Amino acid sequence: MRIIMLGAPGAGKGTQAKKIAEKYLVPHISTGDILRSNIKNSTELGLEAKQYMDKGQLVPDSLVVSLVVDRFKEADCKNGYVLDGFPRTIPQAEALDTALNAISEKVDYAINVEVPDENIVKRMSGRRACLGCGATYHIQHIPPKTEGICDTCGNELILRADDAPETVLNRLKVYHDQTQPLIEYYSAKNILKEVDGVQDMKDVFNDIVTILEA
Ligand code: AP5
Ligand code: MG
């Protein structure tokens, strides 16, 4: 089962990708998490990516594509994976298709989690993220047991640098310009599935399960 999660920043791609990964026992591959972990460890990639991410811009395709293509050749991906935050541009989608074609594989579903822009800014200011394990919380919808501390690994929770309202607006603009065209791209391949991301998280997940088990 090879799944791509599409949707605006804050639509709930990460939230749903984690649940899919748990239920279907496939790895959750988030380019955002991989990049943030590189920033935390001050790697060369992290230092370069940070300049773009803090402004809400996309990291250049050349840096991101090889990250993902190397990752899905690892052994734990043999039964599939959930890609979260990749592809994010048409060139990335084409690079993914080329890499998959070369090993006679293809994407099975592109799931678009739809949330209108006006809901997004509100959600992002309440999000708290763990840089230790990638877990995501929301101060109202899914608060951690102890304020500011990750339930899973005990690390401190942060407000992501790119979740400041003005940066979120820029990320939304970048999304509409560069990522939204992927909806048409995957629709043309007949693998696009749409879910209403404004619903409660568990209802969004139920809709996804219905699609995957149809
Ligand atoms: P990335 O980390 O992918 O960020 P993003 O796409 O902007 O999306 P988010 O992670 O912010 O949102 P999400 O959809 O995962 O929502 P979440 O589940 O957390 O990328 C960050 C940056 O890295 C990019 O800007 C770019 O610079 C770079 N980058 C990454 N990949 C790249 C690529 N391929 N190419 C180039 N650059 C790349 O949910 C959000 C909040 O809402 C949470 O608090 C959650 O608890 C809450 N929530 C979720 N669902 C619901 C619900 N149904 N109801 C109420 N609240 C909900
Ligand atoms: Mg995410």
Side-chain angles (χ1 to χ4, degrees):
M1 186 184 276
R2 295 178 206 94
I3 302 169
I4 290 172
M5 302 302 294
L6 295 176
K13 301 181 295 294
T15 302
Q16 299 300 329
K18 284 192 191 89
K19 287 168 170 280
I20 297 171
E22 251 167 53
K23 182 171 170 75
Y24 296 101
L25 304 175
V26 290
H28 166 210
I29 303 176
S30 156
T31 42
D33 287 351
I34 297 172
L35 292 168
R36 279 185 290 278
S37 147
N38 274 274
I39 292 175
K40 189 178 173 215
N41 297 323
S42 303
T43 66
E44 204 176 310
L45 169 66
L47 293 175
E48 177 143 22
K50 187 176 189 317
Q51 305 169 39
Y52 300 94
M53 290 171 72
D54 283 354
K55 290 187 219 139
Q57 294 166 356
L58 295 185
V59 173
D61 292 340
S62 56
L63 293 180
V64 183
V65 168
S66 58
L67 260 187
V68 178
V69 171
D70 289 345
R71 178 66 186 85
F72 72 58
K73 287 180 181 154
E74 287 176 28
D76 63 337
C77 293
K78 70 175 188 318
N79 295 324
Y81 38 79
V82 193
L83 294 182
D84 161 16
F86 182 94
R88 233 179 169 98
T89 61
I90 296 281
Q92 289 182 18
E94 289 169 348
L96 176 65
D97 283 345
T98 305
L100 286 174
N101 273 337
I103 50 175
S104 305
E105 290 182 357
K106 61 175 183 51
V107 175
D108 300 303
Y109 302 95
I111 300 175
N112 182 36
V113 183
E114 277 197 71
V115 176
D117 287 8
E118 53 269 28
N119 298 46
I120 299 275
V121 181
K122 226 185 293 166
R123 269 194 196 181
M124 304 300 243
S125 58
R127 172 165 61 182
R128 295 296 178 272
C130 175
L131 288 182
C133 68
T136 303
Y137 300 86
H138 190 281
I139 52 177
Q140 279 143 11
H141 309 295
I142 24 170
K145 292 199 185 86
T146 309
E147 198 186 317
I149 303 292
C150 179
D151 293 350
T152 315
C153 72
N155 268 297
E156 193 188 341
L157 299 177
I158 58 139
L159 176 66
R160 270 170 45 179
D162 59 349
D163 279 349
E166 60 283 6
T167 314
V168 171
L169 291 177
N170 193 36
R171 286 162 64 197
L172 279 169
K173 182 177 181 312
V174 169
Y175 166 76
H176 290 299
D177 290 349
Q178 300 194 52
T179 308
Q180 209 171 13
L182 292 177
I183 294 176
E184 187 46 45
Y185 182 90
Y186 288 111
S187 172
K189 290 183 183 290
N190 289 321
I191 57 168
L192 181 76
K193 305 286 173 186
E194 310 251 14
V195 293
D196 173 6
V198 179
Q199 309 173 84
D200 204 82
M201 290 173 210
K202 63 175 188 331
D203 295 324
V204 180
F205 186 59
N206 285 339
D207 286 358
I208 293 176
V209 170
T210 304
I211 289 167
L212 299 180
E213 298 186 359

